[in-house]
Amino acid sequence: RKEVEQDPGPFNVPEGATVAFNCTYSNSASQSFFWYRQDCRKEPKLLMSVYSSGNEDGRFTAQLNRASQYISLLIRDSKLSDSATYLCVVNMRSGNTPLVFGKGTRLSVIA
Amino acid sequence: DAGVTQSPTHLIKTRGQQVTLRCSPISGHKSVSWYQQVLGQGPQFIFQYYEKEERGRGNFPDRFSARQFPNYSSELNVNALLLGDSALYLCASSQSTGDYGYTFGSGTRLTVV
């Protein structure tokens, strides 16, 4: 089983739609969780951290279910500018440790 | 404040050559990590350095090496380049624990021909 798994998509949605991405991770000792956004041929950029209590940033909502080892990202009222690849990222251990990335889910928002 | 800076931005090398990539972290960040991203995949961890010491190494051959300098900048070296080493090489800096997420540089795109 891969350490971090995501549906690669692509997800093609119309403007204004709500879209949800899911991610599962294999290591129950994982400490920190993030969603990164990556535009074509650019570097990944932190979109938001994911907390057990869930967190919201404008149109974006992230949820973490530690029992199921599952992370989600919900985007409401999709904009054309949301088109990108969304990477699920897990920090596997505490301390100064590397991040483990999923392959990413590609989103295309269509006018 | 400057973000994470990487150089060069693009590089073309031939098989068998050696390459050195450079990274300067955000001021105050002491941890630098290197990742390789091939097309269609998520970034794969290569090395992490903290306070000039190697703290982690991914599943890469010994042709890959790195170091961190007293000013926390870092170099990634790849010897005996193969066609499969063609990728985007990303450097990320973080504060000590990385719990707040990592900031990536814009990367070095390496093409091996």
Side-chain angles (χ1 to χ4, degrees):
Chain A
R1 182 181 175 185
K2 293 191 187 299
E3 291 181 291
V4 179
E5 292 200 71
Q6 294 181 252
D7 181 344
F11 285 59
N12 298 313
V13 303
E15 275 187 291
T18 295
V19 61
F21 304 138
N22 303 318
C23 168
T24 57
Y25 60 95
S26 60
N27 189 331
S28 60
S30 300
Q31 297 290 324
S32 311
F33 308 89
F34 309 94
W35 284 100
Y36 277 72
R37 169 192 169 131
Q38 187 171 27
D39 293 295
C40 188
R41 302 183 73 82
K42 300 286 189 181
E43 75 273 21
K45 292 186 178 179
L46 180 64
L47 179 65
M48 57 198 307
S49 301
V50 188
Y51 305 114
S52 296
S53 55
N55 48 304
E56 186 173 313
D57 182 2
R59 298 181 293 108
F60 298 83
T61 300
Q63 295 278 351
L64 167 64
N65 184 323
R66 285 188 182 270
S68 301
Q69 296 179 206
Y70 172 92
I71 305 162
S72 66
L73 176 68
L74 184 75
I75 305 176
R76 291 181 300 278
D77 188 22
S78 299
K79 312 291 185 190
L80 293 176
S81 58
D82 294 334
S83 298
T85 296
Y86 290 82
L87 297 160
C88 177
V89 186
V90 175
N91 188 333
M92 286 297 191
R93 303 186 303 273
S94 60
N96 303 308
T97 55
L99 305 178
V100 180
F101 287 78
K103 289 187 176 182
T105 298
R106 185 165 180 185
L107 171 67
S108 291
V109 181
I110 305 162
Chain B
D1 282 343
V4 180
T5 57
Q6 290 188 245
S7 64
T9 55
H10 295 83
L11 203 52
I12 300 175
K13 291 284 190 178
T14 57
R15 280 177 295 176
Q17 284 190 309
Q18 175 265 340
V19 67
T20 298
L21 311 181
R22 296 178 176 82
C23 172
S24 293
I26 290 172
S27 177
H29 283 193
K30 298 180 179 180
S31 179
V32 170
S33 302
W34 287 95
Y35 289 81
Q36 180 197 65
Q37 187 175 27
V38 299
L39 198 62
Q41 302 291 317
Q44 296 293 310
F45 170 67
I46 310 175
F47 285 108
Q48 184 176 49
Y49 278 80
Y50 177 70
E51 290 279 16
K52 301 174 291 261
E53 292 187 1
E54 183 181 303
R55 290 300 184 97
R57 184 184 183 118
N59 188 25
F60 279 80
D62 292 343
R63 300 184 295 108
F64 289 76
S65 63
R67 55 180 174 169
Q68 187 177 33
F69 299 99
N71 66 353
Y72 303 111
S73 68
S74 178
E75 287 182 351
L76 174 70
N77 295 284
V78 187
N79 294 322
L81 286 166
L82 304 174
L83 295 179
D85 294 331
S86 296
L88 179 66
Y89 287 84
L90 295 160
C91 172
S93 82
S94 64
Q95 297 177 13
S96 57
T97 64
D99 279 347
Y100 300 104
Y102 286 48
T103 301
F104 284 84
S106 56
T108 294
R109 189 163 298 279
L110 172 65
T111 301
V112 182
V113 297

